[in-house]
Amino acid sequence: MNKITAAITAVGSYVPDFVLSNQVLETLVDTNDEWITTRTGIKERRLLKEEGQGTSFMAIKAAQNLLEKANLDPKDIDLVIMATATPDMPVASTGVYVATQIGATNAFAFDLQAACSSFLYGMSAASAYIASGKYKKVLLIGADKMSSIIDYTDRATCIIFGDGAGAVLFEPNTEGLGLQDEILKSDGIGREFLKIEAGGSILPPSEETVKNKQHFVFQDGKTVFKYAVSGMADVSEKIMERNNLSHDDINWLVAHQANRRIIDATANRMELDESKVLINIQKYGNTTSATLPLLLSDFENQLKKGDNIIFAAFGGGFTWGAIYLKWAYTK
């Protein structure tokens, strides 16, 4: 009997219409297009501006896009994993609501939160459910409304983040395609360097925490950058070594779109040609849990069956890792 692996068989995405360009940011904070582009590679980002719409709105749209493209009945989905750092609300799971809204009435669902590594960790979880043989169709969605937790007077964070959603379907494969290997890491040393201080069990919401802007993202940029460069590059190089892959064997690097310099450093360590590195940070900024599936969606037509892909991410906590996957279809 052939070993069951978990392969991605469909992709979907959604980004909001509203574009926040570097030129507009110049009117909000003390910054300029050249400074942002040079340091991050970002030109614009999308924001979900409509009142009453949260992460679930984009997640539903991305899932519906996938269902339509794949001609898939949502009732056939066994599990929905919602990777997000910005759930609609505490306690009530966003993934559960999304599953119901898309008609995945036979699925169970849950949220997975690992900051910018949420989707990468979700890939590992989805793969394990498929490999167990108990589940046939797992829908993994990465979505974040980062604009809901960003202070647009803080130039250290407001230039970086955007809103968006992407979704992939994992199904069993017996051809040796799909997820091959993973290296996932975490280190609590990162807790102080990238966080939202208030709103949790340590510091519940109060008039004081709102006044002090403690419900917005705080980032020690230099420290996070240093850890991200070494972390993402280390695991990407290690997963290649572990699977006897040279730079010639790798078709694509699908890296978390946090900063162009971090992506370039990872690619350089892997000795990858620039043409093999998927980039869309200039269009969307850092959409946190959505960066990896948005890359797959934007470049789906270039991916070929059997392609060797390295996924890599780094997020708050700290959380990071790399996954080696063989692509399962040609469009």
Side-chain angles (χ1 to χ4, degrees):
M1 185 176 162
N2 289 345
K3 182 187 171 190
I4 295 172
T5 52
I8 293 174
T9 58
V11 178
S13 65
Y14 174 80
V15 290
D17 293 329
F18 182 86
V19 176
L20 178 62
S21 66
N22 290 349
Q23 285 73 22
V24 173
L25 278 172
E26 287 176 5
T27 68
L28 301 176
V29 289
D30 181 18
T31 191
N32 61 71
D33 174 60
E34 186 193 5
W35 193 92
I36 297 170
T37 305
T38 306
R39 282 160 182 78
T40 68
I42 301 166
K43 283 290 188 183
E44 55 189 41
R45 57 294 291 140
R46 302 296 186 95
L47 303 190
L48 184 64
K49 300 283 278 185
E50 288 74 17
E51 202 173 325
Q53 292 178 355
T55 294
S56 64
F57 175 82
M58 297 184 292
I60 290 164
K61 291 282 192 185
Q64 288 172 336
N65 178 238
L66 181 150
L67 292 168
E68 189 181 327
K69 283 166 60 182
N71 194 25
L72 177 65
D73 184 344
K75 291 184 176 61
D76 291 336
I77 296 169
D78 302 310
L79 164 63
V80 176
I81 301 175
M82 180 76 224
T84 186
T86 55
D88 284 1
M89 56 183 76
V91 183
S93 166
T94 302
V96 170
Y97 176 72
V98 170
T100 298
Q101 291 302 111
I102 65 171
T105 50
N106 294 317
F108 75 101
F110 62 84
D111 291 358
L112 192 158
Q113 207 279 70
C116 292
S117 302
S118 298
F119 191 86
L120 190 82
Y121 281 21
M123 290 176 69
S124 172
S127 172
Y129 277 108
I130 292 290
S132 75
K134 295 176 184 174
Y135 305 94
K136 298 287 187 281
K137 287 179 169 56
V138 177
L139 180 64
L140 171 61
I141 306 168
D144 271 304
K145 184 182 176 182
M146 293 305 292
S147 61
S148 66
I149 55 172
I150 295 300
D151 175 7
Y152 284 92
T153 65
D154 174 19
R155 68 175 183 174
T157 55
C158 73
I159 65 168
I160 298 166
F161 295 98
D163 304 338
V168 300
L169 182 70
F170 276 94
E171 292 188 274
N173 185 277
T174 54
E175 299 176 81
L177 302 170
L179 199 144
Q180 306 294 309
D181 195 14
E182 62 183 49
I183 299 173
L184 302 179
K185 301 275 190 179
S186 62
D187 187 343
I189 195 172
R191 185 171 162 113
E192 292 307 306
F193 303 117
L194 180 50
K195 63 183 176 179
I196 293 178
E197 218 165 25
S201 59
I202 293 176
L203 192 60
S206 67
E207 192 176 334
E208 194 76 6
T209 63
V210 173
K211 193 171 74 180
N212 293 336
K213 297 187 172 184
Q214 289 169 285
H215 295 269
F216 293 122
V217 168
F218 162 81
Q219 175 169 276
D220 177 340
K222 284 182 181 174
T223 304
V224 173
F225 180 84
K226 184 182 75 174
Y227 275 98
V229 166
S230 61
M232 260 174 65
D234 285 349
V235 288
S236 299
E237 184 181 43
K238 190 174 178 183
I239 206 161
M240 286 174 67
E241 288 172 1
R242 204 157 84 174
N243 292 276
N244 297 314
L245 297 167
S246 75
H247 59 92
D248 291 327
D249 299 318
I250 304 299
N251 297 100
W252 307 104
L253 170 64
V254 178
H256 173 52
Q257 306 287 289
N259 183 301
R260 180 64 193 258
R261 290 187 293 168
I262 298 171
I263 301 165
D264 289 344
T266 302
N268 289 340
R269 182 83 76 84
M270 298 167 71
E271 297 180 3
L272 281 188
D273 188 77
E274 198 177 322
S275 63
K276 294 183 171 186
V277 184
L278 301 189
I279 301 277
N280 61 10
I281 191 171
Q282 73 281 3
K283 295 196 294 181
Y284 308 130
N286 182 353
T287 54
T288 304
S289 307
T291 63
L292 300 183
L294 279 175
L295 280 172
L296 293 179
S297 181
D298 278 6
F299 293 94
E300 185 183 15
N301 291 335
Q302 293 182 42
L303 308 179
K304 301 285 185 284
K305 185 175 180 177
D307 277 359
N308 289 318
I309 302 176
I310 301 294
F311 292 81
F314 187 93
F318 291 127
T319 61
W320 71 100
I323 282 176
Y324 166 36
L325 177 137
K326 280 184 175 290
W327 196 247
Y329 65 94
T330 302
K331 274 286 279 184

